[in-house]
Amino acid sequence: MPDGLSSPTRTLRRVEDLISAGLASADARPALEAVAQRYAIAVPPALQALIATPDDPIFRQFIPDPAELITAPHESGDPIADEALSPIPGIVHRYPDRALLKPLLACPVYCRFCFRREQVGPDGGVLSDAALEAAYAYLEAQPGIREVILTGGDPLILSPRRLGAILRRLGSIPHLEVLRIHTRAPVADPALVTTALAEALDIDTPLFLCLHANHARELTPAVGASLRLLQRRGIPILGQTVLLAGVNDSETALGDLFRAMLRMRIKPYYLHQLDAAPGTARFHVPPERGREILTNLRGHISGTALPTYIFDRPGGLGKIPL
Ligand SMILES: *Cc1c(COP(=O)(O)O)cnc(C)c1O
Ligand code: SF4
């Protein structure tokens, strides 16, 4: 564990780094090296600093585990069939009025339960200028699309100049009424949210940010300050959370998280049932338990703090509320 004497200053990306930082045991090295061959690792300083004990809700989300090598029979590398619904590289089009645009597949942190874990990684999938042009042409040719959701990977790790150019280009497409960005960057590295980034996001088209956070401890004062930069420019922030065993599968943990979101002017939007990505069984919570937690929270916390509990059905059938 971090010893509290010095604060972490660099992102841990290798098993060796995790062992040196006291976040993995040398005995686990061979198994963790096998995990690292398959799935990307990155634990940025802000998140290292939040790990208090082994297997706490922060550790569990980001530190690799040998159990990731076991793929259960029902788990799939593309659990919600994004690939089958991708007409051209970088676009996923499942619903008539919304499309996803994935400008890159890298993230500032790699979550051990990620449903895109077979696709995301540090050297993964930056769309070339030509591929981006093709994506704009696809969106332009589909007047039924009203909203483009930038996701990835994490769009907020693009340079403000590049992200701003993408947003302004999308904003020039007349039938696009609303843009949305799905991100974990403000939690992984609040310093990524600079004034230059806030300026790049300050566009005429209504832009919503959807922040992925799973535990109240992730929402530090530094995260709050970074979000405030965006909120001051009229960017509403929604919260999305994945229900995870050993992280937030209790009334206390979710209640604390949703209230912490409200205090930061984040509207809890979705509580996701975990998608069946390979090697993620240790995070599974039965849907009955998820329903029970939300039922128990109703009446105890503000209705504005309660998200929709949502399940993305396998095979690209789309989301349904649970
Ligand atoms: C989740 C998702 C969306 C967005 O759905 P909302 O319910 O509007 O948040 C859009 N396209 C795809 C392919 C998705 O998986
Ligand atoms: S930040 Fe999002 S896309 Fe990246 S690893 Fe975590 S869940 Fe997956």
Side-chain angles (χ1 to χ4, degrees):
M1 294 305 99
D3 54 16
L5 294 176
S6 59
S7 42
T9 53
R10 62 190 187 99
T11 297
L12 309 175
R13 297 186 181 274
R14 298 174 313 143
V15 174
E16 215 41 60
D17 299 338
L18 297 172
I19 295 172
S20 316
L23 292 168
S25 78
D27 297 348
R29 183 180 290 138
L32 293 181
E33 289 291 359
V35 172
Q37 289 289 312
R38 239 179 119 170
Y39 306 114
I41 296 170
V43 192
L47 292 173
Q48 291 167 50
L50 292 179
I51 295 174
T53 57
D55 218 37
D56 78 4
I58 310 297
F59 182 105
R60 231 173 127 70
Q61 290 184 74
F62 308 117
I63 307 300
D65 188 286
E68 293 176 43
L69 296 170
I70 304 158
T71 300
H74 70 288
E75 292 174 345
S76 143
D78 184 17
I80 59 171
D82 270 2
E83 269 155 61
L85 292 159
S86 177
I88 54 166
I91 296 268
V92 181
H93 194 183
R94 177 191 295 146
Y95 302 106
D97 67 332
R98 280 154 286 167
L100 308 184
L101 172 60
K102 301 193 264 189
L104 83 173
L105 291 171
C107 300
V109 58
Y110 293 99
C111 310
R112 308 325 298 169
F113 50 85
C114 175
F115 73 103
R116 292 200 184 111
R117 61 195 327 230
E118 303 270 354
Q119 287 87 43
V120 295
D123 36 42
V126 178
L127 280 192
S128 66
D129 288 339
L132 261 182
E133 287 305 325
Y136 299 142
Y138 178 85
L139 297 169
E140 262 165 345
Q142 305 265 333
I145 299 178
R146 288 191 281 256
E147 180 177 17
V148 169
I149 300 162
L150 292 170
T151 178
D154 198 319
L156 287 202
I157 66 173
L158 291 170
S159 72
R161 211 166 62 102
R162 188 158 175 85
L163 183 56
I166 293 173
L167 292 171
R168 285 191 305 275
R169 179 68 179 82
L170 292 172
S172 76
I173 300 176
H175 54 265
L176 294 185
E177 298 171 358
V178 179
L179 302 175
R180 202 196 309 173
I181 297 179
H182 281 198
T183 183
R184 198 148 174 50
V187 163
D189 183 1
L192 279 170
V193 185
T194 56
T195 306
L197 181 71
E199 274 165 14
L201 300 189
D202 193 349
I203 53 169
D204 290 334
T205 312
L207 171 71
F208 288 72
L209 205 78
C210 189
L211 179 76
H212 174 184
N214 301 326
H215 195 275
R217 269 168 46 200
E218 292 168 40
L219 299 177
T220 61
V223 174
S226 76
L227 299 180
R228 201 76 187 98
L229 268 183
L230 306 176
Q231 288 162 334
R232 286 217 172 86
R233 289 175 186 265
I235 300 167
I237 303 187
L238 307 169
Q240 61 172 341
T241 298
V242 185
L243 180 60
L244 298 166
V247 173
N248 59 18
D249 58 335
S250 70
E251 284 78 358
T252 312
L254 281 186
D256 287 351
L257 171 65
F258 298 149
R259 282 187 299 113
M261 285 184 174
L262 285 193
R263 289 196 300 272
M264 289 190 180
R265 301 172 169 82
I266 303 168
K267 164 66 191 132
Y269 171 52
Y270 276 163
L271 174 67
H272 292 275
Q273 178 67 15
L274 183 75
D275 293 316
T280 61
R282 69 195 172 106
F283 291 110
H284 179 76
V285 178
E288 303 70 43
R289 177 65 185 132
R291 273 199 211 98
E292 181 181 64
I293 295 173
L294 286 180
T295 305
N296 290 342
L297 284 177
R298 165 98 33 209
H300 290 275
I301 61 172
S302 167
T304 62
L306 289 173
T308 301
Y309 185 28
I310 201 98
F311 177 51
D312 214 328
R313 290 168 297 173
L317 294 173
K319 293 183 178 68
I320 47 159
L322 282 172

